[in-house]
């Protein structure tokens, strides 16, 4: 059973995918460009750095929450979800293995 926070995050990702990325799939594929605006919007919605602990400035969500986000974003546009997954991987590596200087950047 999902927590209320997980449901809220999932629903946010679902609405974003349905409203912002899915309608642009064909144009984005045709253009072959990096949709910077989509990533800025996702960041504004808090869909990045999910696993970063609260003391480090993140929400400290779990793997299930991350999977819910990836599932919903993939429904909208798998390429956007894949790139978001890479960003999440980098933030996870920085949390676990990065120096204080690297984390600050």
């Amino acid at each position: 059973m999902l927590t209320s926070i997980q449901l809220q995050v999932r629903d946010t990702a679902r609405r974003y995918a349905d409203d912002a990325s899915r309608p642009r799939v064909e144009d984005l594929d045709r253009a072959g460009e990096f949709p910077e605006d989509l990533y800025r919007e996702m960041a504004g919605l808090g869909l990045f750095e999910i696993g970063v602990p609260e003391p480090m400035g993140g929400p400290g969500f779990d793997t299930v929450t991350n999977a819910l986000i990836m599932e919903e974003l993939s429904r909208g546009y798998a390429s956007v979800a894949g790139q978001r997954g890479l960003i999440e991987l980098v933030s996870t590596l920085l949390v676990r293995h990065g120096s204080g200087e690297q984390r600050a950047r």
Side-chain angles (χ1 to χ4, degrees):
M1 180 168 216
L2 300 176
T3 68
S4 62
I5 295 291
Q6 288 170 329
L7 291 170
Q8 185 178 27
V9 171
R10 182 204 62 195
D11 292 348
T12 296
R14 179 177 291 170
R15 279 190 305 275
Y16 178 77
D18 289 344
D19 297 343
S21 63
R22 186 184 296 229
R24 295 178 54 191
V25 168
E26 190 174 326
D27 291 338
L28 291 169
D29 277 347
R30 193 176 305 120
E33 296 174 356
F34 182 81
E36 185 177 336
D37 61 314
L38 292 180
Y39 292 91
R40 289 191 186 282
E41 291 171 9
M42 285 190 292
L45 292 171
L47 298 177
F48 290 119
E49 301 172 346
I50 293 300
V52 175
E54 288 183 56
M56 294 179 156
F61 292 152
D62 62 4
T63 303
V64 171
T65 306
N66 185 48
L68 292 167
I69 293 169
M70 291 299 288
E71 183 175 56
E72 294 302 329
L73 293 178
S74 293
R75 277 185 343 94
Y77 187 34
S79 180
V80 165
Q83 292 299 315
R84 185 240 167 232
L86 290 174
I87 293 166
E88 192 65 28
L89 173 63
V90 170
S91 66
T92 299
L93 290 171
L94 285 171
V95 164
R96 292 186 184 165
H97 306 290
S99 68
E101 180 184 337
Q102 289 170 325
R103 291 181 189 144
R105 280 189 287 151

